Amino acid sequence: VQIALLNNKGLQAAYADLGDASADAWQATLFLNPTVSIGTTGIGTPELQAYEAIEGLVTTNILALLTRDKNIAVADARFRQAQLTAALSTLQLAAETRRAWIETVAAWETVGQLSQAQAAADASSELAAKLGETGAMGKGNQAREHVFNAELAGQAAEARLAARLAKENLTRLMGLWGADVDYQVPNRLPNLPKTLARRDSIEAEALKRRVDLQIARLDLEAVAKSYQLTEATRYVTDLELVAGAETEREREDHDTKVETTG
């Protein structure tokens, strides 16, 4: 499980999504920068400029300032949802890896047991053939021994294939490749506990602690906050405050008049 948590690419992608949600939440807390612009206009040729104006504007979005708290609340809900999504992916990967390890060990334990049975069946089939040569065993009994040996050989081959597939699934979950796939698993599962753990109110505890239900609640909360934000801004989508200054220069017979307005 530890190897899977370190190497699994899907889990790394889930934590990358968490980083994106964190960046979005941080961005929502920042104020929008005002827009500053400056320009010049003029009438006449460059040699005989009769009129020239210099304009400067500072623009800021008032609506973004008014809805800042709601935007932060929505981004915070989405960030907490991404946190739980990453936690859910971690728990799912751990559970799947643990289950895959149990299935792999169980499959190889089955192979070992069938191999022992196969050895005994080979000896029994060979003994039946010897007894048939002496006349101590009939052809029917010999055929049953040979058929049982063949069926057991087929079951052992199927068990070996299932064990290899189970190990490949475990390898995929652990994110191993190359020379790292040449690892060994135990030949048998641990002994079962002598007593079973008893817990009360399991259903209530499961409903309280299930991460997917918490994600669904946060998703509902984020949708509700987004709806409230939409209701507040659906009639006015853009509201800006503009402050500007303008300086004009007029030339008449080499005289210059300057007027400034704000």
Side-chain angles (χ1 to χ4, degrees):
V1 171
Q2 293 177 359
I3 294 174
L5 294 179
L6 292 174
N7 294 338
N8 189 274
K9 301 301 182 183
L11 184 61
Q12 294 176 8
Y15 278 97
D17 293 338
L18 176 60
D20 293 339
S22 175
D24 292 338
W26 176 257
Q27 183 68 29
T29 63
L30 301 178
F31 291 96
L32 292 179
N33 292 327
T35 302
V36 180
S37 61
I38 188 171
T40 61
T41 58
I43 299 176
T45 62
E47 295 81 5
L48 300 174
Q49 188 80 24
Y51 173 82
E52 185 180 60
I54 300 176
E55 297 178 347
L57 295 177
V58 178
T59 307
T60 185
N61 194 326
I62 298 179
L63 188 61
L65 297 176
L66 296 177
T67 59
R68 179 173 177 269
D69 292 338
K70 291 184 178 180
N71 286 324
I72 292 176
V74 173
D76 179 68
R78 293 299 184 189
F79 174 63
R80 288 185 285 125
Q81 183 183 6
Q83 283 182 316
L84 291 179
T85 301
L88 179 61
S89 300
T90 303
L91 295 176
Q92 287 178 341
L93 177 62
E96 290 177 3
T97 306
R98 179 67 176 174
R99 185 182 300 111
W101 181 84
I102 293 174
E103 292 175 352
T104 303
V105 176
W108 284 109
E109 186 174 358
T110 302
V111 171
Q113 293 175 354
L114 288 176
S115 297
Q116 294 178 2
Q118 181 68 46
D122 290 340
S124 178
S125 178
E126 185 178 355
L127 178 61
K130 296 294 183 182
L131 292 176
E133 293 177 358
T134 61
M137 180 177 288
K139 293 185 179 295
N141 292 331
Q142 294 180 49
R144 280 192 292 271
E145 291 293 336
H146 297 328
V147 169
F148 175 72
N149 186 26
E151 290 179 351
L152 198 57
Q155 293 178 7
E158 292 179 356
R160 282 191 290 270
L161 177 60
R164 293 191 183 97
L165 293 177
K167 186 178 179 182
E168 288 180 1
N169 182 44
L170 178 61
T171 302
R172 179 183 60 82
L173 290 173
M174 290 193 298
L176 300 179
W177 63 283
D180 294 334
V181 302
D182 296 330
Y183 61 91
Q184 300 294 328
V185 296
N187 294 326
R188 61 186 302 273
L189 291 171
N191 296 326
L192 294 175
K194 296 181 180 180
T195 58
L196 296 178
R198 297 184 57 184
R199 304 193 67 171
D200 299 329
S201 304
I202 294 179
E203 182 178 359
E205 185 175 355
L207 293 176
K208 180 181 179 181
R209 296 188 174 218
R210 279 186 55 170
V211 180
D212 55 345
L213 294 181
Q214 298 180 30
I215 294 175
R217 294 191 192 100
L218 286 175
D219 186 40
L220 182 61
E221 177 183 348
V223 170
K225 292 181 182 297
S226 299
Y227 180 76
Q228 294 175 0
L229 181 61
T230 303
E231 284 292 308
T233 60
R234 64 177 177 173
Y235 296 110
V236 180
T237 59
D238 196 8
L239 184 62
E240 294 183 341
L241 176 65
V242 179
E246 180 179 358
T247 300
E248 297 181 357
R249 295 191 303 175
E250 184 178 355
R251 298 179 180 178
E252 294 181 358
D253 299 331
H254 302 288
D255 294 333
T256 301
K257 296 181 180 180
V258 179
E259 298 180 1
T260 303
T261 60

